[in-house]
Amino acid sequence: MKIESVPEQKTTIQVIERMVALLDALAKYPDPVSLKELSKVSGLHPSTAHRILNDMVVTRFVDRVEPGTYRLGMRLLELGNVVKSRLSVREAALDFMRALHKKTQQTVNLSVRQGDEIVYIDRAFSERSGMQVVRAIGGRGPLHLTSTGKLFLSVDEPKAIRAYATRTGLAGHNKNSITDLGRLERELSLVKSRGYSRDNEELELGVRCMAAGIYDDSGKLIAGLSISAPADRLQEDWLEDLVLTAQQISTTLGYIPVE
């Protein structure tokens, strides 16, 4: 004979929903909150809220600051750090990169900074979509000649930018390359004000790129998302999609824009 377990399951789900309601309520306040206020915000009866809060204090999801007041507990921070450590920028970006490639039909690159260069760590492209500009995974490029590299330089202090110019000599690859410090500084000022960057055939003739930054939960620039295309195919209306995609990846990593 089959035992009916739906009521028990329903009760369990109800308890979880109430716990989440209390956690959401606590998250609204920077300071410890009274039981009365939590009951009001969560919509729970004071006795129910008190019972659940007591259980969450025992498991360290909630801290009891003093009798009758509560705040979010350190257990949430510990678990959040575990999730953060397991979520790499590549994992967070891949599905978004594929969607952007599907829309543009051009190569989408994910790059990070290593010293005075960027390194391509992932890409989305299709062998069937015609002529492609493909940056090999593991390939490198100078910061001042690449769209993503300019993003990283734009967040450096002026002193660090001058030091970079001294170390590298701002070597160029072709007639379009930026090899003058003054011109580079003007370019980086534009990048900083716009929030995106470009490579107008500066690394390779016939190839143009546009890039937007990816930020982690601390607001640090950790990667660049770029579209590479033959110079005559790069379309300006891709820029909005690129910036939005980079923002979506940043949000996945916990980034909250400063208003």
Side-chain angles (χ1 to χ4, degrees):
M1 179 178 177
K2 185 176 180 180
I3 299 175
E4 180 60 61
S5 60
V6 173
E8 181 180 351
Q9 182 182 17
K10 183 177 180 180
T11 301
T12 302
I13 293 174
Q14 190 177 57
V15 170
I16 293 173
E17 289 174 343
R18 290 172 174 176
M19 287 177 60
V20 171
L22 285 167
L23 291 173
D24 285 342
L26 284 164
K28 296 178 184 293
Y29 299 89
D31 300 315
V33 192
S34 68
L35 173 62
K36 181 179 179 181
E37 184 68 13
L38 288 172
S39 173
K40 177 182 176 183
V41 173
S42 67
L44 299 175
H45 190 276
S47 62
T48 301
H50 185 259
R51 184 177 68 253
I52 296 174
L53 285 167
N54 281 344
D55 289 341
M56 289 197 289
V57 167
V58 172
T59 55
R60 297 172 51 240
F61 284 104
V62 171
D63 291 336
R64 184 184 290 110
V65 182
E66 56 185 51
T69 61
Y70 303 85
R71 67 183 177 193
L72 293 177
M74 292 300 292
R75 181 77 183 279
L76 292 168
L77 178 61
E78 293 167 1
L79 293 176
N81 285 333
V82 170
V83 173
K84 179 183 175 183
S85 68
R86 292 176 179 174
L87 181 63
S88 74
V89 65
R90 292 178 68 181
E91 293 171 337
L94 188 56
D95 287 343
F96 293 107
M97 291 173 66
R98 287 172 174 164
L100 183 58
H101 164 69
K102 185 176 181 180
K103 189 166 188 176
T104 64
Q105 291 299 300
Q106 299 300 324
T107 303
V108 177
N109 310 289
L110 182 67
S111 314
V112 297
R113 179 176 186 172
Q114 285 190 0
D116 291 338
E117 299 177 307
I118 62 158
V119 180
Y120 298 94
I121 62 172
D122 215 337
R123 66 175 185 262
F125 74 104
S126 172
E127 298 287 356
R128 298 177 297 175
S129 57
M131 179 182 175
Q132 289 285 328
V133 177
V134 178
R135 305 298 189 192
I137 295 176
R140 295 171 177 268
L143 296 179
H144 66 291
L145 300 182
T146 55
S147 55
T148 293
K150 291 177 187 177
L151 289 173
F152 281 102
L153 282 176
S154 74
V155 299
D156 278 353
E157 295 294 330
K159 183 178 179 180
I161 295 171
R162 291 192 294 270
Y164 167 82
T166 299
R167 285 194 307 272
T168 63
L170 297 182
H173 283 209
N174 60 62
K175 62 184 179 64
N176 294 324
S177 298
I178 296 178
T179 58
D180 174 74
L181 177 57
R183 182 183 168 197
L184 177 62
E185 289 173 332
R186 291 190 294 273
E187 176 82 0
L188 297 179
S189 179
L190 285 174
V191 170
K192 197 166 188 176
S193 64
R194 291 170 174 168
Y196 61 87
S197 62
R198 300 175 184 274
D199 159 18
N200 289 311
E201 301 183 66
E202 295 155 46
L203 180 65
E204 182 180 348
L205 289 176
V207 177
R208 296 171 60 205
C209 303
M210 52 177 63
I214 296 172
Y215 301 83
D216 66 10
D217 60 337
S218 68
K220 180 182 178 181
L221 176 66
I222 59 170
L225 187 72
S226 63
I227 298 175
S228 302
D232 60 349
R233 290 192 188 179
L234 195 72
Q235 298 178 22
E236 289 303 312
D237 57 4
W238 292 342
L239 184 59
E240 183 177 352
D241 294 320
L242 174 67
V243 171
L244 176 60
T245 302
Q247 290 173 347
Q248 290 171 327
I249 298 170
S250 298
T251 299
T252 301
L253 293 170
Y255 173 65
I256 300 175
V258 178
E259 296 183 358

